[in-house]
Amino acid sequence: MSATILDGRKLSTEIREELKGRTRKLEEKGVTPGIAGILVGDDPGSATYIGLKEKAAGDVGIRSQMVRLPQDIKEEELLREIETLNADARVHGIFVQLPLPQHLDENRILAAVSPGKDVDGFHPSNVGKAWLGQQAFLPATPVGICEMLVRSGYGNLRDKNVVIVNVDNLVGKPLASILAQEKVGANVMLCHPSTPDLSTYTRQADMVVVAVDRPRFITADMVKDGVIAIDFGSNYIEDASAKTGKRLVGDLDFDTLKEKAEAITPVPGGVGPMTVTMLLANTVTAAES
Ligand code: GUN
């Protein structure tokens, strides 16, 4: 059996076309959806990521405003920048690119974003509402994973065992908060990459989600036949045949897993493109409301 490849680029293009329709409708009512991003410092990965968000926003008709701030900015100054964006009626969505420099208190910064503009879904109010099953902004990566599953015909997870190998606030915890709700009905387990005998759990999973940034961390012997395998890992490995000498791979041993899985996400071109798209979708939703 060869798995269905869940093509995040294709789905993303489809969703972005829908977003263009929604932004056109907003324009007819005199509303231009606006997103503001804050980048502190000059981490190259974050700079690339924020640039992608800026371009993608423009492509679907969202006005973007990226605020680039120095690495040594004082916390109070950053909080004032967030307050200015909170008060700006043209800005419907705000995100603070992570990670932040060490001297800044991430919890305090994320809690300063107005919950109604928190399109990243990182504000404690949105996190709490998500767990309570209430209407809230949810982080883009887990929403992107769910959207991919639904649009590919794998959205019914009732009574399915889902093992998530990631416990962070961006992926594992919010994904669990979605899938554990009664209306979805999945049996969810959060594991750490260091969990002893991890394969005891992953072998029982109907769906495995991994995001640990370790190449080929999940191998074919760790999963059962017909698993749905979702990968949000990002690793550059040496590859003499690649132009740059390096190649981007995820955390799944893709070549062997694709022979065993029912469906699988590639890296690149799987969950990654969905993440930016769902941030834009949250922004359009914020403008609509
Ligand atoms: N850094 C890595 N992923 C993300 C994300 O989804 N949102 C923000 N704000 N920063 C990130």
Side-chain angles (χ1 to χ4, degrees):
M1 183 177 68
S2 203
T4 299
I5 309 294
L6 303 177
D7 184 342
R9 288 198 185 108
K10 184 160 162 275
L11 288 170
S12 222
T13 305
E14 197 178 294
I15 298 167
R16 288 187 195 188
E17 284 306 313
E18 293 166 11
L19 290 177
K20 283 182 197 169
R22 288 168 65 187
T23 57
R24 268 196 298 269
K25 278 210 182 109
L26 283 165
E27 286 289 352
E28 282 162 21
K29 293 184 190 154
V31 178
T32 303
I35 188 167
I38 296 182
L39 173 65
V40 182
D42 41 23
D43 173 68
S46 292
T48 304
Y49 209 26
I50 205 167
L52 284 176
K53 292 176 181 177
E54 192 171 18
K55 169 154 190 334
D59 289 347
V60 300
I62 297 175
R63 189 187 71 89
S64 68
Q65 175 180 341
M66 299 300 158
V67 183
R68 293 172 170 85
L69 300 168
Q71 175 83 15
D72 61 355
I73 191 168
K74 297 228 165 25
E75 195 161 292
E76 298 307 323
E77 215 176 311
L78 176 54
L79 289 168
R80 273 197 298 278
E81 293 282 350
I82 294 172
E83 270 315 308
T84 304
L85 295 172
N86 283 342
D88 187 339
R90 297 167 308 163
V91 174
H92 303 96
I94 301 170
F95 69 89
V96 180
Q97 190 63 33
L98 301 177
L100 286 168
Q102 290 273 315
H103 69 283
L104 298 169
D105 178 348
E106 183 179 297
N107 289 334
R108 190 168 173 226
I109 302 300
L110 295 179
V113 174
S114 167
K117 295 190 177 187
D118 171 38
V119 285
D120 253 338
F122 295 161
H123 189 285
S125 155
N126 281 317
V127 176
K129 284 183 175 175
W131 278 104
L132 293 168
Q134 297 174 10
Q135 187 77 24
F137 284 118
L138 290 156
T141 301
V143 173
I145 291 171
C146 294
E147 194 68 28
M148 259 185 134
L149 293 168
V150 169
R151 287 181 185 245
S152 312
Y154 297 105
N156 185 359
L157 294 173
R158 181 153 307 274
D159 301 328
K160 301 287 187 206
N161 295 332
V162 178
V163 172
I164 304 169
V165 192
N166 175 296
V167 294
D168 71 27
N169 295 340
L170 275 66
V171 184
K173 284 187 241 174
L175 182 59
S177 80
I178 299 170
L179 301 182
Q181 297 298 327
E182 179 51 39
K183 67 178 183 215
V184 179
N187 305 313
V188 184
M189 176 174 277
L190 287 170
C191 290
H192 304 258
S194 58
T195 296
D197 296 326
L198 180 63
S199 58
T200 316
Y201 307 106
T202 54
R203 272 195 212 110
Q204 290 179 45
D206 300 297
M207 178 164 98
V208 170
V209 181
V210 62
V212 296
D213 288 344
R214 298 193 195 176
R216 301 197 181 103
F217 186 71
I218 301 287
T219 48
D221 60 305
M222 294 173 73
V223 299
K224 69 178 183 185
D225 278 324
V227 72
I228 297 170
I230 308 290
D231 192 348
F232 193 57
S234 174
N235 314 286
Y236 283 92
I237 59 166
E238 304 290 324
D239 181 352
S241 68
K243 246 191 268 170
T244 56
K246 287 190 191 306
R247 181 162 63 94
L248 177 62
V249 297
D251 295 342
L252 297 174
D253 187 6
F254 185 83
D255 290 337
T256 56
L257 265 156
K258 79 175 191 315
E259 300 308 323
K260 202 168 176 185
E262 163 69 31
I264 190 166
T265 61
V267 173
V271 180
M274 296 295 287
T275 294
V276 173
T277 300
M278 299 327 293
L279 177 74
L280 303 180
N282 277 351
T283 305
V284 174
T285 302
E288 286 168 341
S289 62

